[in-house]
Amino acid sequence: MALSGMLYWAIGIAAIQAVYCQGNFIKVECDPENQGVYSQQAVLNCKVVSIKKDFQIIKMIWCKVEADKCVGKTMLTFENGKWSAEDARFSSGALEWNEKELSVSLLVQKTQVSDQGSYRFMISTDTGYEKGNTYLRVTAPYSVPVISSVPGINIEDSMPVTLTCNASGGYPPGQIHWFDQLSNRTNSSALSTIPTQDGRFNLSSVFITTVSSSLALYKCVVVNDKMDKQRAEYQLAIGPGKQEGTKNVKAITAVFVVVGVLAFGILILYIHRRRSRGQCEKSVEDEEDGKALNNS
């Protein structure tokens, strides 16, 4: 019996040692994916779970990984009670303790397209070592699209017109869709995707159409992955001497402004003259009253 008891004890100790060596006294759980927006702060979250309350942290590391290795100047290290970073854009959020859990986060300031990728969190404690992976996906919204036409003036029925829709600064590469008042005309357009130095993209789509006075309104819609759609409308001004819609709107606005200013000026002049006339009449009356008082 004694031998049997010692055997069970030895097996139990061996099992505990095996678990400890494998680092299973702690477990790291990370969000599978985190969203980041270009030039804004991104947050990556992980949680450390331990079977021991108030475990002691020896070292923690955050870094971006490729081929299972830390890359670039993305390493953020916690040791001897303080964090140190290779890049000032990377920092840690506040450590949050909850019973046997520790919440940790990596903060990425002024997120860049190049920050997209897999990240690893590693921790070493007095109860073991563990690691977890998470992914940062970066998006950038495109600018509001701008439409132009060639020609822009003297547009007539049955004339070919080239419409161009431009949008800039987006990520990932997007699409531009064209619509007239009846249908989707995207298949009749040609899209150019131009990469920029910071990893974002500029889009330019060209659509050639034959003018019809009954189909003079066109729309272009910029579609970006997981981002709100951006859209613009364009009204062709058909007829001799007429210019593209946006210019007409500005011209009409300018006319109303000028007319309004002239009307306001005339009103002020009229009020000023009425007041001046009233003051003159009052002066004459006061003079007559004064003479009457002196004579009496």
Side-chain angles (χ1 to χ4, degrees):
M1 291 294 293
L3 181 60
S4 177
M6 291 180 63
L7 179 61
Y8 287 139
W9 180 83
I11 292 174
I13 292 297
I16 292 174
Q17 288 178 341
V19 170
Y20 183 86
C21 292
Q22 292 172 5
N24 288 336
F25 273 96
I26 59 173
K27 181 173 64 174
V28 173
E29 300 174 353
C30 298
D31 294 341
E33 184 171 298
N34 305 270
Q35 300 295 323
V37 179
Y38 182 84
S39 81
Q40 298 182 18
Q41 177 181 272
V43 182
L44 290 72
N45 296 305
C46 288
K47 180 174 61 176
V48 181
V49 182
S50 173
I51 64 172
K52 178 184 175 183
K53 188 176 180 181
D54 298 330
F55 55 88
Q56 181 181 355
I57 299 173
I58 300 173
K59 191 172 185 177
M60 293 187 292
I61 294 176
W62 277 101
C63 69
K64 187 179 181 182
V65 293
E66 293 179 6
D68 208 36
K69 294 181 180 180
C70 291
V71 296
K73 294 184 178 181
T74 60
M75 187 171 292
L76 178 68
T77 305
F78 178 87
E79 195 170 16
N80 298 324
K82 62 180 182 180
W83 289 97
S84 60
E86 295 180 327
D87 185 337
R89 292 192 306 113
F90 294 85
S91 62
S92 172
L95 300 178
E96 297 181 4
W97 293 89
N98 180 17
E99 291 294 332
K100 297 178 182 180
E101 293 182 1
L102 171 66
S103 295
V104 295
S105 57
L106 173 66
L107 308 181
V108 183
Q109 306 295 335
K110 298 181 180 179
T111 303
Q112 305 296 306
V113 172
S114 59
D115 294 329
Q116 178 168 287
S118 296
Y119 287 77
R120 177 168 296 165
F121 171 72
M122 297 167 279
I123 182 170
S124 176
T125 74
D126 57 344
T127 59
Y129 162 84
E130 190 58 278
K131 62 184 178 181
N133 293 333
T134 185
Y135 192 87
L136 174 61
R137 187 173 302 279
V138 178
T139 55
Y142 282 91
S143 64
V144 176
V146 176
I147 305 176
S148 60
S149 72
V150 177
I153 60 174
N154 298 324
I155 300 174
E156 300 177 358
D157 265 335
S158 302
M159 175 186 290
V161 171
T162 300
L163 297 175
T164 302
C165 179
N166 293 315
S168 60
Y171 184 86
Q175 298 290 327
I176 292 181
H177 295 185
W178 285 95
F179 299 88
D180 60 18
Q181 293 165 251
L182 297 178
S183 61
N184 188 326
R185 303 296 300 276
T186 306
N187 290 336
S188 302
S189 65
L191 176 67
S192 298
T193 303
I194 304 130
T196 64
Q197 291 183 348
D198 59 19
R200 293 181 295 169
F201 292 90
N202 297 334
L203 304 178
S204 181
S205 179
V206 177
F207 170 57
I208 301 176
T209 184
T210 300
V211 174
S212 170
S213 56
S214 61
L215 296 174
L217 180 64
Y218 293 88
K219 299 178 183 179
C220 79
V221 179
V222 179
V223 182
N224 190 9
D225 183 35
K226 296 186 179 180
M227 298 297 293
D228 293 335
K229 296 178 180 178
Q230 299 276 20
R231 66 187 66 219
E233 294 186 356
Y234 191 85
Q235 179 76 47
L236 288 175
I238 302 174
K242 292 187 178 181
Q243 298 183 354
E244 55 194 45
T246 52
K247 291 183 179 178
N248 283 339
V249 170
K250 292 179 181 178
I252 292 172
T253 302
V255 169
F256 277 112
V257 170
V258 172
V259 172
V261 170
L262 290 175
F264 182 73
I266 293 172
L267 178 61
I268 293 297
L269 181 61
Y270 173 76
I271 293 172
H272 178 71
R273 288 181 175 179
R274 286 291 302 272
R275 287 181 176 176
S276 299
R277 183 180 301 173
Q279 290 176 354
C280 291
E281 292 176 353
K282 188 176 184 302
S283 299
V284 171
E285 292 176 357
D286 291 343
E287 184 178 352
E288 293 176 352
D289 292 340
K291 292 180 179 179
L293 288 172
N294 291 330
N295 294 331
S296 62

